[in-house]
Amino acid sequence: MTLFQVVFYVQFLLFFFTVYSKPAAIHLRNMDSFIRAVQQVESSKPGLSPLALVRALRRTAGHDDMMTIHFLGASYNFSDTEVLERSILNASSFSFFDKAIHHTVTDSGEERGVVLTPDGTTVALAPLLLGIESGLKAKMEGTAAVGIFPLTLGRRLGLSFLSLQDFPPSHRLGPNGCWDSVEHPKMFKLSRPATLATDAIINGGMDGAILGTSLSNVSASEQTQTLSEILKGYYSFTLTEARGLDAVTDNVSPRRRELSRSILESLDLQSQVMETLNLVWKLEKTEWIAQDTGVEKAVKDGLQAFMHKYWDCPQIIPRCQWGAKASKGIPIPLSLPLQFLYVHHTYEPSSPCLSFPKCSRDMRAMQRFHQEDRDWLDIAYSFVVGSDGYIYEGRGWNHLGRHTKGKNAVGYGVSIIGNYTATLPSRHAMDLLRHSLVKCAVDGGGLAANFTIHGHRQAVNYTTCPGDALFSEIRGWEHFRE
């Protein structure tokens, strides 16, 4: 081999490893990998503004549609975007950012452009980043934020409502799905055919609205965090106390439903969506929207379904997400609505779970105990409440549980992870059960409007479940009966 060939070979290897050799984890489709990729860009460009970076990411993913340009301007019109885009190609992988941000659903039901967040939920990056860009633009210009709702939620919601007018309102949104692996996520498969507003799109839209609104309210003179810091603060927090989310005052992802509601509920969402659709018609010349006389009713019905599913109901982590095994037999359907809700504590595990990995392990341990030691078909409970801000699906809304001897066919059994003989669960965990899950069940037809709450001990005489402290608490709840 000549000297020239050696030099060429060494230069090629250096180029290859600089551009293409990244830690294996960066190719995983989770939020941590995306944040690490963002940090690589930031470290290669000291002093980089987060606004310039989100604009460059928009350009990389090809998201300059007419509405985005209307509110945010064309990404190719900003002088630093093209230079920064070239640095993205060097600091990370163009294909990684393109695949991570560009949203699409394949014919086989795989949803791309979404990432798994540390709390176990799935988020589409495109509406999240558009919301952040809207907020940063408003902060930089010292003006009120405009376009946050249309860019994050309004357009997708409105078009989904209209495109599926022949479907029930509840089927014009969603669905959720599951990852091939939560430890090494690479593929997200939807549970049924997608609408234009999948759960991941709506999660990303709510997060974008929350972060964009928060950033727009920061004074222009205040130092802005980097994009990676913004994302880490919202998604990569740690709960270290038994109080769970009770001790958290910052904006964090498990609070997305209540936070987005507090921001958007004061708006006239009907008018907001109609204005968004009119803008779509104006910019994209989609005349069928303007001519359709059923638009207002479709939007009204769709928004009612949206508010029920994503604001009134809690986020429920599906079985496939926490790693449930299949039932050992054929699940027996319930006859709805049910008349009772039975409150339990797990006793073992005895400590509250404060993260998605820990809650998932607890769920798998309980299912293993119920299936193997008790020889039951499945985990006993209908639902289980964690202190991480989420409810975990057990046997669910429609299938008979094994939670309350002699009463399984007439009520749901809901347990809170932990031993509550002497102490109470976090207030947030109790509110998920007392308010969110209950309202969701009644409005969704799972529970009768005049349902009764009982502690487990009231139905059987051989247990102290749900613990003295929790039982004393629920005796003051509406619908409790002695």
Side-chain angles (χ1 to χ4, degrees):
M1 182 179 290
T2 67
L3 179 62
F4 172 80
Q5 288 173 318
V6 171
V7 172
F8 175 81
Y9 183 65
V10 171
Q11 288 177 333
F12 172 78
L13 288 178
L14 287 173
F15 172 80
F16 181 87
F17 284 109
T18 299
V19 178
Y20 296 105
S21 178
K22 302 298 168 191
I26 204 169
H27 298 293
L28 298 178
R29 290 172 57 189
N30 55 30
M31 182 61 76
D32 288 340
S33 294
F34 182 75
I35 292 174
R36 282 195 292 273
V38 168
Q39 287 175 317
Q40 287 184 359
V41 177
E42 292 169 341
S43 64
S44 72
K45 300 281 289 184
L48 173 66
S49 80
L51 180 56
L53 180 49
V54 289
R55 282 172 175 163
L57 292 174
R58 171 156 61 98
R59 177 183 171 110
T60 300
H63 284 169
D64 272 6
D65 57 68
M66 297 299 293
M67 178 169 285
T68 303
I69 293 172
H70 174 79
F71 286 113
L72 301 177
S75 61
Y76 50 78
N77 281 345
F78 298 101
S79 58
D80 55 358
T81 302
E82 185 176 351
V83 174
L84 182 55
E85 187 182 21
R86 286 201 295 268
S87 75
I88 289 176
L89 287 171
N90 292 325
S92 190
S93 163
F94 176 89
S95 63
F96 173 80
F97 280 119
D98 179 45
K99 291 177 181 177
I101 301 172
H102 187 74
H103 184 270
T104 186
V105 178
T106 69
D107 292 341
S108 63
E110 178 188 352
E111 187 172 16
R112 299 174 180 173
V114 301
V115 294
L116 175 65
T117 66
D119 66 9
T121 57
T122 301
V123 167
L125 288 170
L128 165 67
L129 294 174
L130 287 175
I132 290 173
E133 185 177 347
S134 298
L136 291 170
K137 180 175 182 288
K139 176 186 180 300
M140 182 194 71
E141 296 174 350
T143 59
V146 294
I148 288 183
F149 176 73
L151 290 171
T152 58
L153 286 169
R155 184 176 187 273
R156 284 280 189 162
L157 288 178
L159 293 178
S160 191
F161 298 157
L162 295 188
S163 65
L164 297 168
Q165 289 189 61
D166 294 333
F167 288 75
S170 61
H171 282 71
R172 300 175 200 173
L173 300 167
N176 201 351
C178 274
W179 290 92
D180 53 344
S181 166
V182 294
E183 290 81 16
H184 305 285
K186 293 181 180 179
M187 185 176 73
F188 186 69
K189 197 74 175 288
L190 295 172
S191 60
R192 60 175 172 81
T195 69
L196 292 175
T198 63
D199 279 15
I201 283 284
I202 292 177
N203 284 341
M206 288 191 285
D207 291 350
I210 293 163
L211 291 174
T213 301
S214 176
L215 290 165
S216 71
N217 291 329
V218 175
S219 168
S221 60
E222 293 183 48
Q223 180 67 34
T224 303
Q225 293 178 307
T226 64
L227 178 59
S228 62
E229 289 171 338
I230 293 168
L231 296 173
K232 286 175 69 175
Y234 187 75
Y235 293 107
S236 300
F237 58 91
T238 300
L239 299 179
T240 57
E241 302 179 25
R243 292 171 60 204
L245 285 170
D246 292 355
V248 177
T249 57
D250 297 333
N251 292 343
V252 291
S253 53
R255 291 187 177 274
R256 69 168 55 89
R257 297 193 174 203
E258 60 193 91
L259 290 171
S260 63
R261 185 173 201 155
S262 68
I263 292 170
L264 300 175
E265 194 170 35
S266 61
L267 304 177
D268 182 350
L269 289 187
Q270 177 82 15
S271 297
Q272 291 285 323
V273 174
M274 291 300 298
E275 288 175 13
T276 301
L277 290 174
N278 285 329
L279 182 60
V280 171
W281 170 70
K282 177 182 177 181
L283 295 174
E284 302 178 9
K285 305 296 188 259
T286 47
E287 298 182 12
W288 61 275
I289 293 177
Q291 295 172 355
D292 192 328
T293 56
V295 169
E296 289 201 12
K297 184 178 188 309
V299 169
K300 180 179 179 180
D301 293 344
L303 283 173
Q304 288 178 344
F306 165 77
M307 289 185 284
H308 167 72
K309 183 176 181 180
Y310 298 100
W311 284 354
D312 293 338
C313 289
Q315 175 85 55
I316 297 175
I317 303 295
R319 291 169 59 90
C320 58
Q321 196 79 342
W322 59 260
K325 291 184 177 180
S327 173
K328 291 167 59 177
I330 299 174
I332 300 172
L334 289 166
S335 179
L336 304 179
L338 305 182
Q339 191 61 50
F340 293 89
L341 187 146
Y342 299 104
V343 178
H344 298 248
H345 70 164
T346 62
Y347 190 76
E348 289 290 344
S350 59
S351 299
C353 66
L354 298 170
S355 69
F356 168 68
K358 177 61 166 61
C359 294
S360 297
R361 287 195 298 272
D362 287 348
M363 292 296 291
R364 292 192 295 271
M366 285 187 285
Q367 186 188 40
R368 186 165 53 249
F369 175 69
H370 291 167
Q371 286 186 319
E372 297 177 9
D373 293 22
R374 295 288 179 88
D375 199 29
W376 296 340
L377 298 182
D378 205 341
I379 189 170
Y381 308 115
S382 307
F383 298 97
V384 178
V385 183
S387 294
D388 62 336
Y390 296 108
I391 289 178
Y392 289 74
E393 181 185 23
R395 300 206 190 185
W397 295 116
N398 299 309
H399 296 131
L400 184 75
R402 188 74 184 266
H403 45 80
T404 311
K405 188 175 182 180
K407 307 291 185 179
N408 296 308
V410 297
Y412 291 117
V414 182
S415 189
I416 304 179
I417 292 179
N419 178 353
Y420 299 108
T421 301
T423 60
L424 283 174
S426 69
R427 177 57 54 185
H428 193 276
M430 290 190 291
D431 285 347
L432 279 178
L433 168 55
R434 179 184 182 182
H435 299 301
S436 299
L437 188 68
V438 160
K439 180 171 177 54
C440 185
V442 172
D443 292 349
L447 275 177
N450 63 342
F451 75 96
T452 295
I453 290 179
H454 277 163
H456 184 196
R457 64 174 66 183
Q458 291 175 270
V460 295
N461 58 13
Y462 55 78
T463 182
T464 59
C465 180
D468 291 346
L470 182 53
F471 183 65
S472 178
E473 166 72 19
I474 69 171
R475 293 177 77 171
W477 292 4
E478 185 182 5
H479 292 280
F480 177 85
R481 299 291 183 271
E482 294 287 356

